[in-house]
Amino acid sequence: MMVAEAIKDYVVEEGLRMGDRLPGEAEMITRFGMSKGTIREAMRILEAQGLVKTRTGPGGGSFVHEVSRERARALLGNYFYFRDLTLKDIYQMRRWLEPELAASLAGKLDAGQLAALEEVVQSYDHPSADIEEEREQHVASLRFHQLLADYARNELLGFVIGFMAQILSDLTVYRRLYEPANPELWARGRAYQLDLLEALRGGDPDRARRVMADHMATAEALMEGQETLMVKRFLNV
């Protein structure tokens, strides 16, 4: 692991970017004073982390690779897989962070970005007709928040919020929190998102912050109600 860290330091010191070729194995052995087996193990670790890409054949070798946002979220999701995350845990973070994200984006989104957000909201412009459509609408409503996160000027803030939206989406599907259908959750959530779009388009950060804060508080209460119903159904109470 120490050698893998040393190779990462080398990449930074040399200013290597995605797609740049790393030194060959023989040069690595000489540079880091380690055995062939140790170098190969270090490279396997870096490849598993997504920081190195190895290609075989003519022109092959090891190259610097950039970890995608999706892969980073998936790896972080694995960390939380066996931890008992609750809706309260997730919404505590969402209530802290998402209002500030909304405020920071007011008046900063271009026409294409606003249109993309509006397109998501329009994809659930009617109450669900069946439980499958209910599930799809829950996932789509969280995609609205993931898209907002993608537009964040602060990459760390955007990554954290996007990750929370993803794990909440996974949790909703896994725990079937979209059952039974909840017209109030759909109607109020969509109304908040449309109100938020107006604030973003109008460049009103205070309104955007307030709308998102209310949206998160309402969503938390309604989703916890969904969870309570599911537990009662499971226990046949």
Side-chain angles (χ1 to χ4, degrees):
M1 191 64 181
M2 290 178 62
V3 180
E5 291 299 318
I7 294 173
K8 285 163 63 176
D9 289 343
Y10 165 80
V11 169
V12 173
E13 290 165 3
E14 294 296 315
L16 301 183
R17 315 301 292 178
M18 181 177 175
D20 289 344
R21 183 190 294 272
L22 290 167
E25 188 176 86
E27 185 179 340
M28 288 277 201
I29 292 170
T30 300
R31 178 179 294 275
F32 296 104
M34 295 293 177
S35 68
K36 179 190 293 186
T38 300
I39 293 297
R40 288 184 175 179
E41 178 61 24
M43 294 300 284
R44 279 194 290 269
I45 290 171
L46 294 174
E47 189 161 16
Q49 293 175 349
L51 297 171
V52 167
K53 190 78 171 179
T54 300
R55 298 201 295 265
T56 58
S62 295
F63 300 84
V64 176
H65 189 65
E66 187 175 293
V67 180
S68 69
R69 186 178 299 181
E70 292 73 22
R71 178 176 173 81
R73 286 175 181 166
L75 290 171
L76 188 55
N78 289 340
Y79 171 78
F80 285 105
Y81 189 80
F82 294 106
R83 284 162 173 78
D84 188 24
L85 277 181
T86 66
L87 287 176
K88 188 170 290 295
D89 293 333
I90 296 170
Y91 274 100
Q92 182 180 32
M93 294 290 290
R94 295 190 77 193
R95 284 189 285 105
W96 284 342
L97 299 180
E98 293 208 40
E100 295 311 310
L101 172 66
S104 73
L105 293 178
K108 304 292 178 60
L109 301 180
D110 60 36
Q113 291 170 326
L114 289 166
L117 288 165
E118 191 161 4
E119 183 179 355
V120 174
V121 179
Q122 292 307 317
S123 71
Y124 42 92
D125 61 354
H126 58 276
S128 63
D130 52 43
I131 204 63
E132 178 61 24
E133 188 175 23
E134 183 78 10
R135 181 187 65 79
E136 291 173 358
Q137 288 187 353
H138 272 265
V139 172
S141 69
L142 286 166
R143 189 161 62 246
F144 175 91
H145 295 271
Q146 289 174 298
L147 198 53
L148 267 183
D150 288 343
Y151 298 151
R153 271 45 177 181
N154 180 325
E155 286 197 27
L156 180 59
L157 179 64
F159 178 85
V160 173
I161 290 173
F163 173 69
M164 288 189 299
Q166 181 60 57
I167 60 174
L168 182 56
S169 180
D170 293 343
L171 194 67
T172 297
V173 172
Y174 174 70
R175 296 185 183 174
R176 303 180 71 87
L177 298 181
Y178 53 88
E179 296 184 28
N182 189 330
E184 182 185 7
L185 180 59
W186 165 80
R188 297 186 69 179
R190 188 169 184 274
Y192 278 125
Q193 290 176 348
L194 289 171
D195 198 7
L196 179 61
L197 276 170
E198 287 188 17
L200 294 173
R201 188 178 286 110
D204 188 338
D206 292 334
R207 180 183 174 190
R209 181 185 289 109
R210 183 175 63 254
V211 170
M212 184 64 90
D214 290 346
H215 182 20
M216 290 297 97
T218 301
E220 179 179 14
L222 292 174
M223 285 296 287
E224 286 184 344
Q226 289 290 105
E227 189 172 49
T228 299
L229 284 174
M230 282 303 299
V231 170
K232 287 182 177 180
R233 289 177 63 187
F234 178 76
L235 296 176
N236 199 26
V237 175

